[in-house]
């Protein structure tokens, strides 16, 4: 009997009851705007900022409208201006180069290793081209952050971390988002907390924090924030920082606060699913698993493997056969971007040099989501299907 998987790769869990109740209660007040407060009331957004700041250990935290908005705001807050070059990953998703381009700045792509992290040799080689690195921890794979920060500090490069896929993950005990000057997170539906859309910014730098608050559109109401610097810091920036509205609202914050309380447990559940798929694919012929460094405490809500140096038509055949059995694989090597699988040469608004070593890796990357609606049995079944179809195509190819 041929097993078929019947789950949906884009189906997240429902919003927890406590979050639904908090959202309904907030709606009953009618006060959804973060600064629409009564007397000395502390709004949901300010509380979320305080709690996420405490969770990350950051001095300052700002909640915003999306992860992409967080990235663009971080770039502005560290002083990137039109025409500036910004280093970033060749292997990431479209909002990352998009945030850079939204300022009129120019992405300079750094290669990807077989471990699916930024290539530190390539970073060193291009370090003199820019003062800022927007580092994407793409698909939850974390580079050697000790080596990366040593390199960037030595070269005077400010690091902004894109933690859209690493909320809750650590390198060498330090949370992702806490190595660089700024950490940016997304709370969009497919990330580790779900408010539909949303973003969070953390930093220890008071001027950066105050600029982010002004940029997000605080209408001089920054005094209402709980995780922001004091008024003396705002005096330095408030007349010279434009308002580029992108605030979070109380409704989304109400949905997120109960999820933050569950985050650690949810991260464990993702990792159980990841490890089940990983175990099921171990030693599969023709298939390369991504080794995970000992210093990395990952949180994997998706799974990647490589079909390294396979012909394109053979990979397409694997994708087709798995799809026929209900397993949706996304291939980053396809000629045209499909859904989210774009790569550096898909972003044609940026001039990029060919990167043969990275192209070889990108051509081999297969990607699947592991939503928490999948049971561990589902994950074992998914692995059996992938293993069987990869093996079949691999043997046919000889
Ligand atoms: C989702 C995502 C973002 C941006 O998040 P949005 O909230 O969708 O704007 C940034 N980087 C990566 C790698 C992402 O996957």
């Amino acid at each position: 009997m041929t097993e078929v998987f019947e789950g949906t790769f884009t189906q997240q869990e429902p919003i927890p009851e406590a979050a639904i109740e908090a959202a309904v209660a907030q709606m009953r007040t009618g006060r959804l705007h973060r600064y629409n407060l009564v007397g000395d009331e502390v709004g949901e957004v300010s509380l979320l900022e305080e709690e996420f700041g405490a969770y990350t250990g950051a001095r300052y935290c700002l909640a915003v409208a999306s992860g992409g908005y967080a990235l663009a705001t971080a770039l502005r807050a560290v002083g990137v201006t039109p025409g500036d070059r910004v280093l970033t990953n060749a292997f990431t998703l479209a909002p990352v180069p998009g945030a850079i381009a939204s300022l009129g700045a120019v992405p300079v792509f750094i290669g990807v290793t077989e471990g699916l992290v930024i290539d530190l040799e390539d970073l060193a080689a291009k370090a003199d081209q820019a003062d800022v690195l927007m580092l994407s921890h793409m698909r939850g794979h974390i580079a050697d952050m000790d080596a990366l920060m040593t390199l960037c500090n030595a070269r005077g490069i400010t690091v902004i971390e894109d933690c859209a896929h690493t909320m809750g993950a650590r390198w060498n005990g330090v949370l992702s988002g806490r190595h660089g000057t700024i950490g940016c997170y997304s709370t969009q539906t497919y990330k580790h907390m779900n408010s539909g859309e949303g973003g969070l910014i953390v930093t220890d730098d008071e001027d950066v924090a105050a600029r982010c608050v002004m940029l997000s559109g605080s209408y001089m109401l920054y005094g209402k924030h709980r995780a922001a610097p004091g008024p003396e810091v705002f005096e330095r920036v408030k007349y010279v920082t434009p308002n580029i509205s992108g605030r979070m609202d109380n409704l989304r914050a109400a949905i997120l606060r109960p999820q933050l309380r569950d985050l650690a447990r949810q991260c464990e559940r993702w990792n159980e699913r990841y490890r089940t798929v990983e175990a099921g694919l171990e030693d599969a012929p023709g298939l390369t698993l991504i080794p995970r460094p000992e210093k990395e405490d990952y949180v994997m809500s998706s799974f990647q493997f490589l079909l390294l140096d396979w012909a394109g038509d053979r990979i397409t055949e694997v994708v087709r056969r798995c799809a026929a059995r209900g397993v949706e694989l996304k291939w980053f090597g396809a000629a045209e971007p499909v859904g989210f699988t774009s790569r550096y040469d898909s972003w044609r608004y940026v001039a990029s040099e060919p990167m043969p070593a990275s192209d070889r890796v990108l051509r081999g990357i297969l990607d699947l989501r592991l939503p928490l609606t999948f049971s561990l049995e589902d994950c074992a079944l998914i692995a059996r299907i992938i293993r069987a179809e990869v093996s079949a195509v691999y043997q046919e190819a000889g």
Side-chain angles (χ1 to χ4, degrees):
M1 192 196 76
T2 309
E3 292 181 301
V4 173
F5 178 61
E6 287 178 347
T8 306
F9 283 79
T10 49
Q11 182 60 56
Q12 305 292 36
E13 289 189 301
I15 299 301
E17 283 305 318
I20 294 173
E21 275 171 32
V24 170
Q26 189 64 42
M27 284 191 282
R28 291 199 201 287
T29 70
R31 296 191 297 276
L32 300 190
H33 191 281
R34 71 168 296 165
Y35 300 121
N36 186 191
L37 303 164
V38 177
D40 56 6
E41 179 189 6
V42 181
E44 289 284 329
V45 181
S46 293
L47 289 169
L48 173 67
E49 290 165 347
E50 194 170 51
E51 290 161 6
F52 194 74
Y55 167 77
T56 57
R59 288 174 72 194
Y60 309 115
C61 177
L62 176 70
V64 294
S66 75
Y69 181 87
L71 295 175
T73 301
L75 289 166
R76 289 191 168 93
V78 300
V80 173
T81 55
D84 286 356
R85 302 176 127 232
V86 176
L87 307 169
T88 194
N89 306 58
F91 175 48
T92 184
L93 293 183
V96 178
I100 297 168
S102 78
L103 276 81
V106 181
V108 175
F109 296 114
I110 311 295
V112 60
T113 69
E114 285 181 36
L116 302 189
V117 297
I118 196 163
D119 180 347
L120 295 183
E121 272 179 41
D122 197 28
L123 179 61
K126 293 172 179 163
D128 58 353
Q129 294 189 30
D131 301 325
V132 176
L133 165 65
M134 175 158 279
L135 172 67
S136 184
H137 301 295
M138 176 63 174
R139 282 295 182 259
H141 299 274
I142 306 178
D144 180 338
M145 290 304 294
D146 301 321
L148 184 144
M149 289 310 303
T150 302
L151 169 65
C152 289
N153 289 337
R155 306 294 283 266
I157 295 173
T158 300
V159 178
I160 297 170
E161 293 181 70
D162 166 24
C163 306
H165 301 164
T166 51
M167 185 187 280
R170 290 167 197 270
W171 177 268
N172 204 7
V174 177
L175 273 175
S176 156
R178 301 291 294 134
H179 298 266
T181 301
I182 307 185
C184 298
Y185 307 79
S186 169
T187 61
Q188 188 238 71
T189 294
Y190 299 108
K191 317 296 165 113
H192 296 174
M193 296 198 292
N194 174 10
S195 58
E197 303 286 353
L200 289 155
I201 301 172
V202 299
T203 184
D204 286 342
D205 183 308
E206 60 183 17
D207 287 279
V208 165
R211 274 188 226 112
C212 287
V213 170
M214 294 308 301
L215 285 161
S216 75
S218 81
Y219 302 115
M220 302 296 170
L221 294 167
Y222 48 79
K224 299 283 185 190
H225 286 242
R226 307 257 284 197
E232 69 290 354
V233 183
F234 283 91
E235 287 306 318
R236 298 202 287 268
V237 304
K238 70 182 193 182
Y239 298 114
V240 293
T241 310
N243 175 330
I244 304 174
S245 282
R247 295 169 301 275
M248 183 176 278
D249 58 90
N250 284 329
L251 183 56
R252 289 196 173 94
I255 292 172
L256 289 169
R257 291 180 60 218
Q259 294 183 56
L260 179 57
R261 296 198 278 275
D262 288 344
L263 180 62
R265 172 72 194 123
Q266 298 293 79
C267 291
E268 277 175 37
R269 294 176 63 216
W270 268 301
N271 285 344
E272 287 166 6
R273 282 151 185 77
Y274 179 84
R275 288 182 189 122
T276 302
V277 176
E278 187 181 49
L281 292 178
E282 213 173 327
D283 301 324
L287 182 154
T288 308
L289 291 176
I290 312 300
R292 308 309 301 245
E294 204 173 306
K295 287 189 176 164
E296 183 191 32
D297 289 318
Y298 56 73
V299 178
M300 290 300 286
S301 53
S302 65
F303 194 94
Q304 293 73 41
F305 63 88
L306 298 176
L307 297 179
L308 211 49
D309 302 325
W310 282 44
D313 63 336
R314 297 292 80 200
I315 297 182
T316 310
E317 180 62 9
V318 168
V319 172
R320 191 192 65 74
R321 288 189 190 205
C322 287
R325 296 179 65 182
V327 174
E328 241 179 79
L329 298 178
K330 305 288 182 186
W331 180 34
F332 276 85
E336 282 295 314
V338 182
F340 56 76
T341 62
S342 56
R343 51 169 198 260
Y344 74 96
D345 55 354
S346 320
W347 305 313
R348 294 186 199 160
Y349 54 86
V350 188
S352 61
E353 298 290 315
M355 307 174 81
S358 295
D359 291 343
R360 172 172 174 259
V361 174
L362 289 166
R363 269 198 304 273
I365 301 177
L366 280 300
D367 178 63
L368 58 147
R369 293 182 197 279
L370 295 175
L372 292 176
T373 51
F374 290 2
S375 66
L376 296 183
E377 292 70 34
D378 289 339
C379 294
L381 171 59
I382 289 166
R384 283 199 298 280
I385 291 172
I386 295 172
R387 188 181 187 99
E389 298 305 335
V390 167
S391 301
V393 177
Y394 187 66
Q395 277 155 18
E396 274 171 24

